[in-house]
Amino acid sequence: MSKKLRGAVVGVGYLGKFHAQKYKNNPNVELVGVCDHFPAQADKIAMELGVKSFHKPQDLIGHVDLVTIAASTLSHFELAKMFVENGVHVNVEKPITATVPQAEELLALAAKKNVKVAVGHIERFNPAINDLQKHLKNPKFIELNRMAPYNKRGSDVSVLHDLMIHDMDLLFWLTGSEIESMTGTGTKLISKELDTASVSFKMKNGMQVMINVSRVSPVAQRSIRVLQDDCTLWAQTGTLELEKVVPGPGGDEFLTVTKWSVEKADALQRETDAFIDCVLNDKQPVVTGLDGLKALKAIEDVQRMIEG
């Protein structure tokens, strides 16, 4: 292309500023500017990146072809709707919106306007998970663990919408199946919303999945364990370490343990590049708006189940 796509990031707090940096790294996009609810924050990040500061998202209309929305979850719908209505392609941080009806309305509008909506389920771009997927062969059981120390950022929503939403997207992606039934519990310890949850899922293809999440853990942990007929697989998705345990002949106690690490990759850069590529080459996003809606619907089902 002789002319670059014009991009911007709306919401440049802790996470949003990294999104803006990734746009700057992509040769197919000109980062037109950044926007934030707090003008001083927009000015600060704009100065660091050498771009224009916008204090109102609507002022970006006419100046951008695509945007990433990394503002608070509660503002996702109104922001995304405004850009979609004006023909701007949107990459929305997870969860896609605060509620299912909002997501459904947004996607209906995007279809009408022929605008692309991608959702920032970044774990799809995690190199450890990508490598683990290559070893999956009729898994029987998958356990996903995501633990983090308490951080006020993100506490405006439950741990389900903040953390488990990542694993819900992985649940559908790794199993290739739909949920048949679920059971589980959760607790409120610090915030007014759920801070921990453990949920067991039975999938329609017979697979069992366990998801454990906590945002009040003393240590951070992100891992996946897979049980299948020929082996057990482990992936530490934060440290990018993997392990494969194969039983000995006849299933006796003699085991073969193989450990390896995958090369570190910038998952957020990969996510950003994939979004830009789908707009540039008119392709389907890696994580579609429908994927985001599906994960959000399941999270709302989990919340209703836990809260009775």
Side-chain angles (χ1 to χ4, degrees):
M1 285 184 66
S2 58
K3 191 175 181 181
K4 292 183 178 182
L5 292 172
R6 302 166 300 165
V9 176
V10 180
V12 283
Y14 175 78
L15 183 59
K17 68 181 179 183
F18 296 122
H19 277 284
Q21 290 168 1
K22 306 314 172 189
Y23 271 100
K24 288 280 285 187
N25 293 340
N26 188 296
N28 295 313
V29 170
E30 175 196 355
L31 181 65
V32 171
V34 296
C35 179
D36 198 89
H37 177 70
F38 298 101
Q41 180 67 9
D43 293 347
K44 176 177 179 288
I45 302 303
M47 183 174 292
E48 289 177 4
L49 295 176
V51 298
K52 188 175 179 181
S53 173
F54 291 83
H55 296 168
K56 295 180 181 178
Q58 55 266 37
D59 291 343
L60 285 163
I61 301 301
H63 299 285
V64 292
D65 304 302
L66 70 170
V67 297
T68 288
I69 296 173
S72 70
T73 298
L74 298 177
S75 67
H76 283 187
F77 173 64
E78 291 300 334
L79 288 170
K81 182 181 178 182
M82 182 197 68
F83 285 112
V84 169
E85 282 177 333
N86 286 277
V88 178
H89 303 286
V90 175
N91 181 37
V92 192
E93 256 302 336
K94 60 79 197 169
I96 181 172
T97 54
T99 69
V100 166
Q102 287 177 343
E104 291 173 336
E105 182 179 339
L106 176 64
L107 295 184
L109 179 63
K112 181 180 176 182
K113 294 286 186 177
N114 195 28
V115 167
K116 297 184 188 301
V117 175
V119 186
H121 285 289
I122 195 170
E123 292 288 38
R124 296 270 198 111
F125 302 91
N126 184 309
I129 295 175
N130 296 152
D131 198 71
L132 174 75
Q133 195 176 33
K134 298 174 185 176
H135 296 269
L136 297 185
K137 185 180 178 182
N138 299 318
K140 307 298 183 186
F141 174 80
I142 299 177
E143 179 182 44
L144 300 114
N145 299 296
R146 189 176 302 271
M147 313 293 170
Y150 185 74
N151 188 330
K152 192 172 182 181
R153 179 176 55 86
S155 63
D156 57 328
V157 295
S158 75
V159 72
L160 306 179
H161 295 77
D162 184 28
L163 297 185
M164 189 183 279
I165 192 90
H166 285 296
D167 301 297
M168 197 60 70
D169 178 63
L170 291 176
L171 173 144
F172 292 119
W173 190 49
L174 294 175
T175 66
S177 183
E178 303 295 320
I179 296 169
E180 181 175 303
S181 61
M182 67 176 79
T183 181
T185 60
T187 56
K188 299 176 184 180
L189 296 173
I190 296 178
S191 61
K192 62 180 181 179
E193 304 287 350
L194 288 169
D195 291 314
T196 73
S198 293
V199 184
S200 177
F201 300 88
K202 181 181 179 183
M203 309 304 289
K204 289 184 177 179
N205 64 1
M207 204 179 299
Q208 300 282 339
V209 180
M210 185 75 190
I211 301 180
N212 302 300
V213 293
S214 171
R215 60 180 177 195
V216 290
S217 172
V219 294
Q221 180 199 354
R222 286 157 43 201
S223 66
I224 301 177
R225 179 169 65 106
V226 180
L227 304 182
Q228 46 194 39
D229 288 337
D230 62 336
C231 68
T232 299
L233 297 164
W234 288 86
Q236 299 292 338
T237 59
T239 60
L240 308 185
E241 298 169 297
L242 294 98
E243 181 176 308
K244 182 177 184 179
V245 180
V246 180
D252 59 27
E253 71 268 19
F254 296 104
L255 305 174
T256 302
V257 180
T258 307
K259 297 183 179 183
W260 71 100
S261 297
V262 291
E263 186 176 348
K264 188 175 182 180
D266 188 333
L268 187 58
Q269 187 70 61
R270 292 173 69 186
E271 176 195 312
T272 305
D273 293 347
F275 173 55
I276 293 166
D277 179 58
C278 87
V279 174
L280 196 61
N281 296 300
D282 192 24
K283 301 192 310 194
Q284 181 171 277
V286 172
V287 186
T288 66
L290 287 173
D291 291 330
L293 171 60
K294 189 174 183 178
L296 182 60
K297 278 183 175 178
I299 284 294
E300 291 197 359
D301 289 342
V302 169
Q303 187 159 21
R304 280 190 290 270
M305 181 267 298
I306 289 176
E307 296 184 344

